[in-house]
Amino acid sequence: MTLRYPSPLRRAALVLTAASLLAALATGCGGKAKPALAPVDTATASQSASASAAPTASAADPTAAFLAPLTGLPTEQAITRRPLSVMINNFKAARPQSGLTHADTVWEILAEGGITRLLAIFQSQTFDDPIGPIRSIRPYLIDIGETYGGILVHAGASNDALAILQHSGKADMDEINNAGAYFYRSKDRKAPHNLYSTQDKLYMGARKMKYDETATVPLVQFDPTPDVIGEPAATQVNIKFQLSDYKVSYEYDAATHLYARSVNGQPHIDLNNSRQLTAANLVVLSAKHRAYDDYGRLEIDLNSGGEAVLFQEGRAIACQWKREPGDIVRIYRDGRELKFLPGTTYYHVVPTDGGFASHVTYQ
């Protein structure tokens, strides 16, 4: 296979992989492995690429001395600050959203009524543009956001989520209950689809609220040249959550090695820069969903593991997802954790109802 990355980046990727192996060996033999985690000292926040020059897997700087923890992409400075875990509204009236082209990782997961919510993890990029629209949080979104060491950013919560957050000491910025000064309403949209913030406002608020600037982020493994030869082609990917008129699709671009995202056949763009959302890795995982009240609020099992598929380099890799306590969801095949292509990763959590094949198709 022809290598696309210059040798300095390959060496950096190998260093990261070696660090991952050492972390695994440190857990000892015979016992259950502890989650692989990397400490983050946020005393000196890095300043990385701006919106107009967001990094992609094909535009990496071969002279960079550091790799971003959650993307594996090269940076000129160490990425040390605590991530922001922001709840992004994905209702039709809220699209196009702002800021998603800067996210390191994005989770798409059902809320009530068959509409999905996006949980965007921001860490490696610094930008001045708005982030939003921001909406409320659910217990499973608290769970995901915290596993990245992130400050939880949202506007209100379900009753169960509010019960978890109140008096918990969690790093929580809620526009309604404790951090309204660090959000603002746009006049260009109607409430509740018009709530925004910025990185500067949110980090300022976190300092004022005396949240720790040091967190622990997951140790994510990357491979700039994954072996996908022989895997089924997947240049067109279609994902259905619940509603038949709410379909997510991706088209693979071999020139950039990225998947471009659309919703209901229309490009899903970032309002800040009119760029289509893209990802180097797509993960679709199947999890049990249960509605537990008349409003349709959900319990989603993100602990038990199950069926999954990883899309990268225009190929589909059938796999399983697993999760250890306190760790992120990880994907495995034949007992081996699969590595990501450097770049942004999008996760999609679909119900088990109807079988996995009813929610994801590709060709």
Side-chain angles (χ1 to χ4, degrees):
M1 177 180 293
T2 301
L3 297 179
R4 299 188 313 274
Y5 286 80
S7 58
L9 179 56
R10 293 204 301 273
R11 289 197 298 270
L14 289 172
V15 169
L16 184 62
T17 301
S20 303
L21 292 172
L22 288 173
L25 288 172
T27 62
C29 300
K32 178 178 282 189
K34 295 181 180 179
L37 300 171
V40 175
D41 179 3
T42 61
T44 56
S46 66
Q47 301 294 315
S48 59
S50 66
S52 61
T56 67
S58 61
D61 179 1
T63 65
F66 303 96
L67 297 178
L70 299 179
T71 67
L73 289 172
T75 60
E76 294 182 355
Q77 295 177 310
I79 304 299
T80 57
R81 62 184 169 192
R82 189 173 190 175
L84 299 170
S85 298
V86 186
M87 313 304 137
I88 302 291
N89 189 351
N90 198 33
F91 192 69
K92 183 177 180 180
R95 296 195 299 265
Q97 298 95 334
S98 297
L100 288 172
T101 49
H102 305 290
D104 291 350
T105 302
V106 177
W107 281 74
E108 183 166 16
I109 192 165
L110 282 163
E112 299 80 38
I115 301 299
T116 60
R117 188 142 298 169
L118 304 177
L119 169 52
I121 312 296
F122 298 93
Q123 187 192 29
S124 68
Q125 295 187 52
T126 296
F127 59 102
D128 298 325
D129 297 329
I131 300 172
I134 298 170
R135 284 302 301 269
S136 57
I137 201 167
R138 301 293 181 267
Y140 45 86
L141 295 171
I142 295 173
D143 184 18
I144 297 170
E146 284 197 313
T147 61
Y148 288 91
I151 299 166
L152 302 171
V153 179
H154 59 102
S158 65
N159 291 338
D160 289 339
L162 190 60
I164 292 171
L165 293 172
Q166 285 183 326
H167 313 298
S168 67
K170 294 180 183 296
D172 172 52
M173 297 186 68
D174 182 350
E175 184 265 347
I176 294 176
N177 291 298
N178 71 352
Y182 307 106
F183 298 76
Y184 67 92
R185 296 278 175 180
S186 169
K187 296 180 180 179
D188 297 330
R189 284 182 170 161
K190 295 181 179 179
H193 312 301
N194 65 344
L195 183 67
Y196 295 83
S197 190
T198 64
Q199 278 187 325
D200 282 348
K201 283 180 177 291
L202 293 171
Y203 281 122
M204 180 188 303
R207 289 192 295 271
K208 292 278 189 178
M209 299 173 79
K210 298 183 178 180
Y211 291 143
D212 289 343
E213 293 184 357
T214 298
T216 300
V217 299
L219 183 59
V220 181
Q221 298 190 61
F222 298 95
D223 184 352
T225 56
D227 182 8
V228 296
I229 295 176
E231 303 295 346
T235 57
Q236 298 282 339
V237 178
N238 299 289
I239 303 168
K240 177 184 174 183
F241 290 87
Q242 280 186 341
L243 299 180
S244 59
D245 63 346
Y246 192 81
K247 296 178 181 178
V248 175
S249 60
Y250 292 90
E251 183 173 355
Y252 180 68
D253 183 346
T256 62
H257 307 279
L258 298 174
Y259 284 91
R261 177 181 166 96
S262 296
V263 177
N264 290 336
Q266 298 298 315
H268 193 172
I269 67 168
D270 187 328
L271 185 61
N272 290 340
N273 50 37
S274 298
R275 287 171 40 209
Q276 190 171 4
L277 305 184
T278 59
N281 310 283
L282 309 176
V283 178
V284 184
L285 60 95
S286 180
K288 292 181 180 179
H289 290 53
R290 185 183 76 87
Y292 63 88
D293 63 13
D294 292 340
Y295 192 70
R297 293 185 177 91
L298 297 170
E299 289 179 352
I300 300 178
D301 181 358
L302 291 175
N303 295 298
S304 298
E307 191 171 0
V309 61
L310 168 64
F311 298 98
Q312 57 183 201
E313 297 283 34
R315 302 284 177 170
I317 305 169
C319 50
Q320 299 288 316
W321 69 272
K322 300 179 183 179
R323 188 179 180 202
E324 297 291 341
D327 195 17
I328 60 170
V329 166
R330 298 183 184 274
I331 53 174
Y332 294 82
R333 184 173 186 178
D334 299 328
R336 177 177 59 88
E337 182 178 354
L338 298 180
K339 298 178 183 180
F340 290 140
L341 191 72
T344 301
T345 298
Y346 271 57
Y347 292 83
H348 313 77
V349 183
V350 299
T352 53
D353 298 349
F356 193 60
S358 70
H359 294 284
V360 56
T361 59
Y362 53 88
Q363 59 184 11

